[in-house]
Amino acid sequence: ARLPRSAVLKKILDSVKDLVKETNWDCNEEGMSMQALDTGRIVLVEVMLREAAFESYACEVPMTLGIDMEPFGKVLRCAGGDEKVTIKASRNDQDHIELVFENEEKERMSAFELKLMDIDGEHMAVPDAEWGAEISMPSSEFKKIVMDLAEIGSDLTIAVSKLGVTFTAQGNNCKGSMVLQPSTAVDKKSEQVAISFTEPLEMTFAAPYMKMITKAAALSSTVTLSLDEACPICVRYEMEDNAGHIKYYLAPKED
Amino acid sequence: GLAQRGLSTFFRLI
């Protein structure tokens, strides 16, 4: 599997490493995907890198690659963001993978081996949901709102109504809320705020977890929040050019 | 205060 830029892998690693230390990557002809739970089983993260994300991709037999994020991060730090990455996994020797970074400009090539782990991964069946509300907005704006409000209080409430979407945090000494209304005068789709809902709803989530979830803003200019009463929120970042997505499910806080 | 629920109460582990 050859990616045109290592930056994609670096961003994916950044988006999951606070939640997950080791995870199985499933490789098949459609691409590479992973699903993992954080140790507290509060957040589920799913990553899909489709064949379209790669400059070239071939997977003759489905394989599971057990990756330890820490050494993987060390290896990836050796790659320039605009260097090509080739990942090679051999079906005859499933003990390790090879990573080759190529810098075409400097005619430099570097090669690494990463030992694979035997991970007893837990998989969760996520049912298809009929969401009560969906909000799409610029991922940078969502990130700023979450980062700012997480400083105010550890509970982040998201309310959707005719007024728009309201994000609220309450701390011991202060309380803050931010309201976003659907944008009408913005041309660029990536800058638009779109809100749809069937019934008004209000749900509360742990702000520190939500902060971790906003790391994926580096992977996509937009984010979609899908909510339903008394259900985990789904926060989805779609990568450009059908390259894939990263999705997080975060369980709510309740009385 | 509010209690944090776990995902296992919503999704099935397989």
PDB file of all heavy atoms in Angstrom, chain A residues 41-42 44 123-125 230 251-255, chain B residues 2-8 10-14:
ATOM      1  N   ARG A  41     -13.877   2.382  27.770  1.00  0.00           N
ATOM      2  CA  ARG A  41     -15.054   2.044  26.958  1.00  0.00           C
ATOM      3  C   ARG A  41     -16.075   3.175  26.910  1.00  0.00           C
ATOM      4  O   ARG A  41     -17.284   2.969  27.037  1.00  0.00           O
ATOM      5  CB  ARG A  41     -15.723   0.760  27.462  1.00  0.00           C
ATOM      6  CG  ARG A  41     -14.837  -0.462  27.303  1.00  0.00           C
ATOM      7  CD  ARG A  41     -15.580  -1.691  27.722  1.00  0.00           C
ATOM      8  NE  ARG A  41     -14.778  -2.882  27.490  1.00  0.00           N
ATOM      9  CZ  ARG A  41     -15.193  -4.099  27.805  1.00  0.00           C
ATOM     10  NH1 ARG A  41     -16.370  -4.288  28.345  1.00  0.00           N
ATOM     11  NH2 ARG A  41     -14.423  -5.139  27.582  1.00  0.00           N
ATOM     12  N   ILE A  42     -15.557   4.371  26.741  1.00  0.00           N
ATOM     13  CA  ILE A  42     -16.411   5.558  26.624  1.00  0.00           C
ATOM     14  C   ILE A  42     -16.470   6.007  25.168  1.00  0.00           C
ATOM     15  O   ILE A  42     -17.488   6.537  24.719  1.00  0.00           O
ATOM     16  CB  ILE A  42     -15.842   6.734  27.484  1.00  0.00           C
ATOM     17  CG1 ILE A  42     -15.511   6.285  28.906  1.00  0.00           C
ATOM     18  CG2 ILE A  42     -16.773   7.927  27.472  1.00  0.00           C
ATOM     19  CD1 ILE A  42     -16.680   5.851  29.734  1.00  0.00           C
ATOM     20  N   LEU A  44     -15.549   5.008  21.040  1.00  0.00           N
ATOM     21  CA  LEU A  44     -15.209   4.035  20.004  1.00  0.00           C
ATOM     22  C   LEU A  44     -14.711   4.837  18.807  1.00  0.00           C
ATOM     23  O   LEU A  44     -15.345   5.821  18.423  1.00  0.00           O
ATOM     24  CB  LEU A  44     -16.462   3.243  19.615  1.00  0.00           C
ATOM     25  CG  LEU A  44     -16.301   2.166  18.545  1.00  0.00           C
ATOM     26  CD1 LEU A  44     -15.598   0.951  19.119  1.00  0.00           C
ATOM     27  CD2 LEU A  44     -17.657   1.750  17.999  1.00  0.00           C
ATOM     28  N   HIS A 123     -14.458  -5.999  19.362  1.00  0.00           N
ATOM     29  CA  HIS A 123     -15.170  -5.321  18.284  1.00  0.00           C
ATOM     30  C   HIS A 123     -16.581  -5.027  18.766  1.00  0.00           C
ATOM     31  O   HIS A 123     -17.182  -5.833  19.463  1.00  0.00           O
ATOM     32  CB  HIS A 123     -15.207  -6.226  17.056  1.00  0.00           C
ATOM     33  CG  HIS A 123     -15.022  -5.469  15.785  1.00  0.00           C
ATOM     34  ND1 HIS A 123     -13.809  -4.972  15.381  1.00  0.00           N
ATOM     35  CD2 HIS A 123     -15.913  -5.096  14.833  1.00  0.00           C
ATOM     36  CE1 HIS A 123     -13.961  -4.348  14.223  1.00  0.00           C
ATOM     37  NE2 HIS A 123     -15.224  -4.406  13.868  1.00  0.00           N
ATOM     38  N   MET A 124     -17.093  -3.880  18.394  1.00  0.00           N
ATOM     39  CA  MET A 124     -18.457  -3.547  18.781  1.00  0.00           C
ATOM     40  C   MET A 124     -19.349  -3.480  17.558  1.00  0.00           C
ATOM     41  O   MET A 124     -18.939  -2.956  16.515  1.00  0.00           O
ATOM     42  CB  MET A 124     -18.482  -2.197  19.494  1.00  0.00           C
ATOM     43  CG  MET A 124     -18.171  -2.315  20.964  1.00  0.00           C
ATOM     44  SD  MET A 124     -18.628  -0.838  21.845  1.00  0.00           S
ATOM     45  CE  MET A 124     -18.931  -1.535  23.465  1.00  0.00           C
ATOM     46  N   ALA A 125     -20.543  -4.002  17.712  1.00  0.00           N
ATOM     47  CA  ALA A 125     -21.523  -3.907  16.633  1.00  0.00           C
ATOM     48  C   ALA A 125     -22.252  -2.581  16.802  1.00  0.00           C
ATOM     49  O   ALA A 125     -22.955  -2.373  17.792  1.00  0.00           O
ATOM     50  CB  ALA A 125     -22.498  -5.069  16.715  1.00  0.00           C
ATOM     51  N   ALA A 230     -30.511  10.075  24.196  1.00  0.00           N
ATOM     52  CA  ALA A 230     -30.002   8.965  25.011  1.00  0.00           C
ATOM     53  C   ALA A 230     -29.184   7.952  24.226  1.00  0.00           C
ATOM     54  O   ALA A 230     -29.237   6.754  24.482  1.00  0.00           O
ATOM     55  CB  ALA A 230     -31.158   8.261  25.733  1.00  0.00           C
ATOM     56  N   ALA A 251     -20.119   8.053  24.361  1.00  0.00           N
ATOM     57  CA  ALA A 251     -21.289   7.807  25.202  1.00  0.00           C
ATOM     58  C   ALA A 251     -21.656   9.082  25.965  1.00  0.00           C
ATOM     59  O   ALA A 251     -20.781   9.843  26.367  1.00  0.00           O
ATOM     60  CB  ALA A 251     -21.001   6.668  26.172  1.00  0.00           C
ATOM     61  N   PRO A 252     -22.957   9.307  26.168  1.00  0.00           N
ATOM     62  CA  PRO A 252     -23.382  10.529  26.868  1.00  0.00           C
ATOM     63  C   PRO A 252     -23.186  10.433  28.375  1.00  0.00           C
ATOM     64  O   PRO A 252     -22.940   9.360  28.920  1.00  0.00           O
ATOM     65  CB  PRO A 252     -24.874  10.607  26.524  1.00  0.00           C
ATOM     66  CG  PRO A 252     -25.293   9.188  26.320  1.00  0.00           C
ATOM     67  CD  PRO A 252     -24.100   8.484  25.735  1.00  0.00           C
ATOM     68  N   LYS A 253     -23.285  11.582  29.021  1.00  0.00           N
ATOM     69  CA  LYS A 253     -23.352  11.630  30.484  1.00  0.00           C
ATOM     70  C   LYS A 253     -24.820  11.853  30.843  1.00  0.00           C
ATOM     71  O   LYS A 253     -25.520  12.575  30.152  1.00  0.00           O
ATOM     72  CB  LYS A 253     -22.490  12.778  31.022  1.00  0.00           C
ATOM     73  CG  LYS A 253     -21.009  12.553  30.828  1.00  0.00           C
ATOM     74  CD  LYS A 253     -20.189  13.672  31.413  1.00  0.00           C
ATOM     75  CE  LYS A 253     -19.888  13.419  32.889  1.00  0.00           C
ATOM     76  NZ  LYS A 253     -18.900  14.387  33.426  1.00  0.00           N
ATOM     77  N   GLU A 254     -25.242  11.189  31.896  1.00  0.00           N
ATOM     78  CA  GLU A 254     -26.660  11.280  32.266  1.00  0.00           C
ATOM     79  C   GLU A 254     -26.831  11.286  33.775  1.00  0.00           C
ATOM     80  O   GLU A 254     -25.917  10.910  34.507  1.00  0.00           O
ATOM     81  CB  GLU A 254     -27.442  10.099  31.663  1.00  0.00           C
ATOM     82  CG  GLU A 254     -27.679  10.266  30.170  1.00  0.00           C
ATOM     83  CD  GLU A 254     -28.301   9.038  29.522  1.00  0.00           C
ATOM     84  OE1 GLU A 254     -28.434   7.996  30.194  1.00  0.00           O
ATOM     85  OE2 GLU A 254     -28.635   9.118  28.341  1.00  0.00           O
ATOM     86  N   ASP A 255     -28.019  11.668  34.206  1.00  0.00           N
ATOM     87  CA  ASP A 255     -28.338  11.659  35.651  1.00  0.00           C
ATOM     88  C   ASP A 255     -28.264  10.236  36.189  1.00  0.00           C
ATOM     89  O   ASP A 255     -28.658   9.308  35.510  1.00  0.00           O
ATOM     90  CB  ASP A 255     -29.755  12.197  35.887  1.00  0.00           C
ATOM     91  CG  ASP A 255     -29.795  13.702  35.694  1.00  0.00           C
ATOM     92  OD1 ASP A 255     -28.810  14.360  36.054  1.00  0.00           O
ATOM     93  OD2 ASP A 255     -30.811  14.199  35.177  1.00  0.00           O
TER      94      ASP A 255
ATOM     95  N   LEU B   2     -23.617  14.585  36.820  1.00  0.00           N
ATOM     96  CA  LEU B   2     -23.938  13.613  35.787  1.00  0.00           C
ATOM     97  C   LEU B   2     -22.949  12.462  35.819  1.00  0.00           C
ATOM     98  O   LEU B   2     -21.786  12.649  36.129  1.00  0.00           O
ATOM     99  CB  LEU B   2     -23.894  14.294  34.413  1.00  0.00           C
ATOM    100  CG  LEU B   2     -24.922  15.396  34.174  1.00  0.00           C
ATOM    101  CD1 LEU B   2     -24.622  16.121  32.871  1.00  0.00           C
ATOM    102  CD2 LEU B   2     -26.331  14.819  34.141  1.00  0.00           C
ATOM    103  N   ALA B   3     -23.442  11.288  35.469  1.00  0.00           N
ATOM    104  CA  ALA B   3     -22.572  10.108  35.446  1.00  0.00           C
ATOM    105  C   ALA B   3     -22.219   9.763  34.009  1.00  0.00           C
ATOM    106  O   ALA B   3     -23.035   9.905  33.104  1.00  0.00           O
ATOM    107  CB  ALA B   3     -23.287   8.932  36.100  1.00  0.00           C
ATOM    108  N   GLN B   4     -20.986   9.341  33.831  1.00  0.00           N
ATOM    109  CA  GLN B   4     -20.555   8.929  32.500  1.00  0.00           C
ATOM    110  C   GLN B   4     -21.031   7.513  32.225  1.00  0.00           C
ATOM    111  O   GLN B   4     -20.741   6.599  32.989  1.00  0.00           O
ATOM    112  CB  GLN B   4     -19.029   8.985  32.404  1.00  0.00           C
ATOM    113  CG  GLN B   4     -18.471   8.490  31.088  1.00  0.00           C
ATOM    114  CD  GLN B   4     -18.898   9.345  29.897  1.00  0.00           C
ATOM    115  OE1 GLN B   4     -18.573  10.522  29.841  1.00  0.00           O
ATOM    116  NE2 GLN B   4     -19.650   8.763  28.965  1.00  0.00           N
ATOM    117  N   ARG B   5     -21.755   7.341  31.170  1.00  0.00           N
ATOM    118  CA  ARG B   5     -22.164   5.989  30.789  1.00  0.00           C
ATOM    119  C   ARG B   5     -21.114   5.367  29.890  1.00  0.00           C
ATOM    120  O   ARG B   5     -20.352   6.069  29.231  1.00  0.00           O
ATOM    121  CB  ARG B   5     -23.521   6.030  30.074  1.00  0.00           C
ATOM    122  CG  ARG B   5     -24.640   6.464  31.005  1.00  0.00           C
ATOM    123  CD  ARG B   5     -25.985   6.359  30.355  1.00  0.00           C
ATOM    124  NE  ARG B   5     -26.350   4.969  30.094  1.00  0.00           N
ATOM    125  CZ  ARG B   5     -27.487   4.630  29.481  1.00  0.00           C
ATOM    126  NH1 ARG B   5     -28.327   5.534  29.073  1.00  0.00           N
ATOM    127  NH2 ARG B   5     -27.772   3.351  29.283  1.00  0.00           N
ATOM    128  N   GLY B   6     -21.080   4.049  29.885  1.00  0.00           N
ATOM    129  CA  GLY B   6     -20.130   3.336  29.015  1.00  0.00           C
ATOM    130  C   GLY B   6     -20.795   2.970  27.701  1.00  0.00           C
ATOM    131  O   GLY B   6     -22.027   2.875  27.629  1.00  0.00           O
ATOM    132  N   LEU B   7     -19.999   2.750  26.687  1.00  0.00           N
ATOM    133  CA  LEU B   7     -20.568   2.407  25.371  1.00  0.00           C
ATOM    134  C   LEU B   7     -21.214   1.030  25.357  1.00  0.00           C
ATOM    135  O   LEU B   7     -22.107   0.774  24.562  1.00  0.00           O
ATOM    136  CB  LEU B   7     -19.469   2.450  24.303  1.00  0.00           C
ATOM    137  CG  LEU B   7     -19.149   3.797  23.673  1.00  0.00           C
ATOM    138  CD1 LEU B   7     -18.027   3.629  22.669  1.00  0.00           C
ATOM    139  CD2 LEU B   7     -20.362   4.406  22.991  1.00  0.00           C
ATOM    140  N   SER B   8     -20.743   0.163  26.283  1.00  0.00           N
ATOM    141  CA  SER B   8     -21.286  -1.211  26.286  1.00  0.00           C
ATOM    142  C   SER B   8     -22.780  -1.245  26.590  1.00  0.00           C
ATOM    143  O   SER B   8     -23.448  -2.232  26.289  1.00  0.00           O
ATOM    144  CB  SER B   8     -20.547  -2.060  27.316  1.00  0.00           C
ATOM    145  OG  SER B   8     -19.201  -1.717  27.361  1.00  0.00           O
ATOM    146  N   PHE B  10     -24.814   0.613  25.156  1.00  0.00           N
ATOM    147  CA  PHE B  10     -25.505   0.980  23.907  1.00  0.00           C
ATOM    148  C   PHE B  10     -25.208  -0.001  22.770  1.00  0.00           C
ATOM    149  O   PHE B  10     -26.065  -0.320  21.970  1.00  0.00           O
ATOM    150  CB  PHE B  10     -25.065   2.377  23.448  1.00  0.00           C
ATOM    151  CG  PHE B  10     -25.329   3.448  24.457  1.00  0.00           C
ATOM    152  CD1 PHE B  10     -24.333   3.883  25.311  1.00  0.00           C
ATOM    153  CD2 PHE B  10     -26.587   4.016  24.569  1.00  0.00           C
ATOM    154  CE1 PHE B  10     -24.562   4.875  26.240  1.00  0.00           C
ATOM    155  CE2 PHE B  10     -26.830   4.996  25.495  1.00  0.00           C
ATOM    156  CZ  PHE B  10     -25.826   5.430  26.339  1.00  0.00           C
ATOM    157  N   PHE B  11     -23.934  -0.424  22.704  1.00  0.00           N
ATOM    158  CA  PHE B  11     -23.506  -1.290  21.605  1.00  0.00           C
ATOM    159  C   PHE B  11     -23.112  -2.659  22.156  1.00  0.00           C
ATOM    160  O   PHE B  11     -22.665  -2.774  23.285  1.00  0.00           O
ATOM    161  CB  PHE B  11     -22.286  -0.693  20.883  1.00  0.00           C
ATOM    162  CG  PHE B  11     -22.503   0.669  20.303  1.00  0.00           C
ATOM    163  CD1 PHE B  11     -21.457   1.577  20.227  1.00  0.00           C
ATOM    164  CD2 PHE B  11     -23.747   1.068  19.820  1.00  0.00           C
ATOM    165  CE1 PHE B  11     -21.636   2.841  19.687  1.00  0.00           C
ATOM    166  CE2 PHE B  11     -23.940   2.339  19.281  1.00  0.00           C
ATOM    167  CZ  PHE B  11     -22.878   3.222  19.213  1.00  0.00           C
ATOM    168  N   ARG B  12     -23.265  -3.661  21.312  1.00  0.00           N
ATOM    169  CA  ARG B  12     -22.955  -5.029  21.698  1.00  0.00           C
ATOM    170  C   ARG B  12     -21.495  -5.344  21.363  1.00  0.00           C
ATOM    171  O   ARG B  12     -21.026  -5.057  20.265  1.00  0.00           O
ATOM    172  CB  ARG B  12     -23.890  -5.980  20.935  1.00  0.00           C
ATOM    173  CG  ARG B  12     -23.944  -7.387  21.427  1.00  0.00           C
ATOM    174  CD  ARG B  12     -25.164  -8.085  20.792  1.00  0.00           C
ATOM    175  NE  ARG B  12     -25.228  -7.860  19.354  1.00  0.00           N
ATOM    176  CZ  ARG B  12     -24.604  -8.618  18.451  1.00  0.00           C
ATOM    177  NH1 ARG B  12     -23.894  -9.659  18.821  1.00  0.00           N
ATOM    178  NH2 ARG B  12     -24.719  -8.371  17.151  1.00  0.00           N
ATOM    179  N   LEU B  13     -20.797  -5.917  22.331  1.00  0.00           N
ATOM    180  CA  LEU B  13     -19.419  -6.360  22.071  1.00  0.00           C
ATOM    181  C   LEU B  13     -19.459  -7.672  21.300  1.00  0.00           C
ATOM    182  O   LEU B  13     -20.227  -8.571  21.646  1.00  0.00           O
ATOM    183  CB  LEU B  13     -18.684  -6.584  23.390  1.00  0.00           C
ATOM    184  CG  LEU B  13     -17.904  -5.416  23.989  1.00  0.00           C
ATOM    185  CD1 LEU B  13     -17.396  -5.786  25.357  1.00  0.00           C
ATOM    186  CD2 LEU B  13     -16.754  -4.977  23.098  1.00  0.00           C
ATOM    187  N   ILE B  14     -18.652  -7.746  20.242  1.00  0.00           N
ATOM    188  CA  ILE B  14     -18.631  -9.017  19.488  1.00  0.00           C
ATOM    189  C   ILE B  14     -17.205  -9.529  19.385  1.00  0.00           C
ATOM    190  O   ILE B  14     -16.266  -8.819  19.587  1.00  0.00           O
ATOM    191  CB  ILE B  14     -19.257  -8.878  18.082  1.00  0.00           C
ATOM    192  CG1 ILE B  14     -18.695  -7.645  17.337  1.00  0.00           C
ATOM    193  CG2 ILE B  14     -20.752  -8.783  18.179  1.00  0.00           C
ATOM    194  CD1 ILE B  14     -19.167  -7.503  15.912  1.00  0.00           C
TER     195      ILE B  14
END
